[in-house]
Amino acid sequence: MTDNILKAAKLIKEQGNVIALTGAGVSVESGIPPFRGKGGLWEKFDPMEYADIDSFRKNPEKIWDVFLMEKKATIDKARPNDAHKGLALLERIDLLKGIITSNIDGLHQAAGSINVVEFHGNLATYSCIDCHKMFGSSTLKSDTGPPVCECGGFLKPNCIFFGEAINPIVLKRAEYMIANCKVLLIAGSSLVVEPSSSIPFEAKSNGAKIIEINAEPTEMTSSVTDIFIRAKAGETLNQIIYLINKMIVS
Ligand code: NAD
Ligand code: ZN
């Protein structure tokens, strides 16, 4: 266990009022590949071809067949790992006040987290691109091709594609959380996509301390981060919880 894990555990326990900012890296240990880096989805799919809203409108069938079916099948199989469970536990003992995530897999909620802001939406609900009627995930059948509404329009998952704006209510909730936290715990995010790329700066300028758990350093590591832990998010959260438990009972 490194010194930085001990420092992070102490900071979380002493300050409380922690907000987590999580990205695709927290779900890697659940079997969901990230977008960037080795083994990432962008090695296989061109984002502008498969995750752009104009491409979806032009050819929804192709994007469903090639990209969304595979992504949905991977997410449907995935279960929360120790990173999701650790963050849910920190919320239950009132040290963590909420999670802001770019993930669309719903695994934080599946682990029991309550206050979760999904700024890129999720794959649990779908809307018709023509009449905007909403559908639940259970109405989708993976063996009958791209899902279509009664009106004939294709369904699109309610997650943000490139070229789409983030819901302003979701952004307001995230801003409120960041303005009021004492510690920002970043886990598994490359911090290159907005608003993940600006949240650490906002938190820092509000006086929060920044803990970063990532497999690789990011652009923030040497400039904004106070405690950097280069490790897997699940293993690290386990160690942090173990140390906090010891501090509580001693
Ligand atoms: P990203 O793919 O850009 O970066 C992932 C980061 O996690 C990298 O910095 C990497 O070093 C780190 N990482 C990888 N494995 C790790 C592990 N086991 N423990 C800790 N860190 C680990 O992800 P991002 O920053 O979230 O941004 C990309 C976009 O991808 C988001 O907008 C999101 O909507 C979308 N996305 C979501 C999922 C999901 O829902 N699980 C999966 C892929 C992509
Ligand atoms: Zn419709």
Side-chain angles (χ1 to χ4, degrees):
M1 203 175 297
T2 68
D3 271 3
N4 276 2
I5 296 184
L6 183 59
K7 278 189 201 157
K10 276 189 183 149
L11 187 64
I12 292 169
K13 167 75 176 56
E14 280 159 17
Q15 296 287 323
N17 204 345
V18 181
I19 292 294
L21 173 65
T22 68
V26 291
S27 295
V28 167
E29 289 160 81
S30 295
I32 305 176
F35 273 169
R36 291 170 193 78
K38 207 166 170 291
L41 283 176
W42 294 156
E43 277 183 351
K44 203 165 148 194
F45 298 107
D46 172 1
M48 285 307 128
E49 199 179 341
Y50 290 102
D52 178 77
I53 188 62
D54 290 334
S55 310
F56 184 83
R57 287 185 182 285
K58 271 188 213 132
N59 198 346
E61 276 176 298
K62 172 179 151 188
I63 290 172
W64 265 108
D65 282 344
V66 181
F67 180 58
L68 287 174
M69 287 298 192
E70 176 176 326
K71 191 148 175 64
K72 188 175 167 345
T74 310
I75 287 178
D76 284 350
K77 275 202 308 253
R79 296 290 168 264
N81 65 51
D82 289 345
H84 305 105
K85 290 177 197 165
L87 292 173
L89 180 69
L90 287 178
E91 187 180 6
R92 277 204 296 283
I93 59 175
D94 208 26
L95 292 174
L96 184 81
K97 305 299 177 190
I99 299 173
I100 302 170
T101 189
S102 61
N103 292 348
I104 57 172
D105 54 34
L107 290 178
H108 285 303
Q109 294 91 329
S113 290
I114 308 290
N115 192 18
V116 183
V117 172
E118 296 169 304
F119 60 66
H120 287 165
N122 55 59
L123 274 185
T125 61
Y126 298 78
S127 302
C128 170
I129 53 173
D130 291 336
C131 74
H132 308 294
K133 186 174 171 186
M134 290 252 281
F135 295 81
S137 186
S138 57
T139 57
L140 299 189
K141 294 186 184 65
S142 55
D143 52 354
T144 53
V148 178
C149 174
E150 300 98 78
C151 80
F154 283 98
L155 304 194
K156 178 192 159 294
N158 287 328
C159 60
I160 305 287
F161 278 52
F162 288 110
E164 285 191 295
I166 296 174
N167 179 331
I169 297 170
V170 166
L171 275 184
K172 275 263 166 277
R173 270 183 77 198
E175 271 167 30
Y176 178 83
M177 284 156 82
I178 292 304
N180 290 289
C181 75
K182 291 252 171 52
V183 178
L184 180 69
L185 173 61
I186 299 167
S189 173
S190 58
L191 302 172
V192 294
V193 180
E194 271 297 340
S196 299
S197 52
S198 52
I199 284 175
F201 289 105
E202 278 166 38
K204 186 97 178 174
S205 66
N206 290 330
K209 293 278 184 211
I210 315 291
I211 302 170
E212 182 185 342
I213 308 167
N214 260 325
E216 303 291 337
T218 62
E219 281 186 17
M220 308 284 164
T221 306
S222 57
S223 52
V224 181
T225 301
D226 295 292
I227 302 173
F228 178 58
I229 300 162
R230 185 176 188 166
K232 289 186 177 169
E235 287 171 6
T236 309
L237 257 307
N238 261 343
Q239 291 168 339
I240 288 175
I241 302 275
Y242 168 79
L243 291 168
I244 289 176
N245 267 332
K246 262 188 25 184
M247 289 174 217
I248 291 172
V249 295
S250 64

